[in-house]
Amino acid sequence: MEFQAQGRPFDHDGMQRTCDLLGVSQPEVWAVLTVETKGFGFLPDRRPQILFERHIFHKITKGRHDVGNADVSNAAAGGYVGGAGEYPRLDKAMALDRDAALQSASWGVGQVMGFNHTIAGFPSVAAMVDAMVRDENAQLLAVANFIKSTNLSGALQRQDWRAFAAGYNGADFAKNQYDTRLAKAHVEYKKALPDLALRVAQAALTYLNLNPGGVDGVIGQRTRAALTAYQQRAGLPQTGALDVTTNSKLLAEAFAA
């Protein structure tokens, strides 16, 4: 399947590199990621999360594909399906103009638009997409590069959510309460940060179709149930806890080369 690799989550080094580049702490970064994608950059099938923007495709291609393709080339935004349903829209647009289609989708954990590939640190949209497919560390670095290149790091440092929302989400940010949701998420992350090791395990469980209820680095009933199911399948003591043996076997199976 195109756009599919291992889907590796970011690690502590990836998060720290982002914080250092932007001069912020983890709660600020997590707030952005949570509002954009609920904090995880891949679908259960390991393809990056995307959103295809038909009005961007229309603009880049100067409307030459509009007739008969209003679902993917349209002066008006919309037509969203969400989740894996965005990929058939992307596929249809790629059949018309591959480069323009890739530029017209937002990619990964921070939903960086393909047409922003240069300021996100990539020589071409194809290079950016390859990186988005590879792992979340690359996705996170693209977010950091975009924020820094667009002079939004200051707003993030000040936790000026309205200014940041206007720059990152666009002038209509208030329609979906983007700034309010950023502020709310930030408050929660100041109380407690996700457990990155658990988050990786949750991604692994998701990829193995054991449904831990989300990839958020927070232990809950569904994650414990998924761990128990994996332990049963692997012939391990069924504790529902992420012990060393369970974690080692789980990651080896989910991320086998």
Side-chain angles (χ1 to χ4, degrees):
M1 185 184 295
E2 190 173 10
F3 306 118
Q4 184 185 67
Q6 288 191 335
R8 283 189 173 272
F10 62 72
D11 53 24
H12 174 77
D13 290 343
M15 173 58 80
Q16 192 59 54
R17 179 170 58 242
T18 294
C19 290
D20 291 345
L21 185 63
L22 299 178
V24 299
S25 299
Q26 287 195 39
E28 289 83 79
V29 177
W30 277 113
V32 176
L33 304 185
T34 298
V35 172
E36 283 293 330
T37 57
K38 297 183 180 179
F40 189 52
F42 289 100
L43 297 169
D45 63 11
R46 305 184 195 237
R47 290 181 295 179
Q49 290 209 47
I50 66 166
L51 194 66
F52 183 78
E53 301 285 4
R54 68 185 188 185
H55 65 294
I56 300 297
F57 185 78
H58 161 87
K59 180 179 180 180
I60 293 173
T61 59
K62 297 180 170 56
R64 63 178 175 272
H65 299 296
D66 286 7
V67 177
N69 300 296
D71 54 335
V72 298
S73 186
N74 197 309
Y80 307 115
V81 179
E86 291 296 310
Y87 273 95
R89 301 179 69 222
L90 176 64
D91 289 342
K92 182 175 180 179
M94 286 195 302
L96 300 171
D97 187 324
R98 182 182 178 89
D99 192 76
L102 296 178
Q103 291 189 61
S104 301
S106 54
W107 294 87
V109 70
Q111 291 293 280
V112 177
M113 288 296 302
F115 67 77
N116 284 318
H117 60 84
T118 300
I119 60 177
F122 301 95
S124 67
V125 67
M128 174 177 156
V129 171
D130 286 347
M132 300 301 98
V133 170
R134 186 174 66 247
D135 58 48
E136 259 195 334
N137 275 336
Q139 294 180 6
L140 194 55
L141 183 58
V143 173
N145 286 335
F146 176 81
I147 291 172
K148 191 171 182 66
S149 296
T150 52
N151 298 315
L152 290 173
S153 52
L156 197 57
Q157 291 164 10
R158 297 189 303 273
Q159 295 148 42
D160 183 345
W161 301 119
R162 286 186 62 82
F164 182 83
Y168 199 89
N169 190 244
D172 293 333
F173 70 90
K175 287 184 178 180
N176 60 3
Q177 299 181 313
Y178 194 92
D179 57 330
T180 303
R181 290 187 291 136
L182 282 170
K184 183 178 179 180
H186 183 253
V187 168
E188 293 304 311
Y189 284 120
K190 286 183 72 176
K191 297 175 184 176
L193 292 171
D195 180 329
L196 291 186
L198 177 62
R199 185 174 178 273
V200 174
Q202 288 171 325
L205 291 165
T206 298
Y207 296 153
L208 296 177
N209 298 312
L210 290 171
N211 193 8
V215 181
D216 58 7
V218 178
I219 194 71
Q221 184 176 353
R222 291 176 68 178
T223 296
R224 292 188 190 280
L227 284 168
T228 300
Y230 177 76
Q231 289 166 336
Q232 181 179 33
R233 190 169 87 179
L236 299 171
Q238 296 169 43
T239 65
L242 187 64
D243 56 71
V244 173
T245 301
T246 298
N247 194 50
S248 178
K249 284 183 171 291
L250 174 62
L251 300 192
E253 182 175 348
F255 299 113

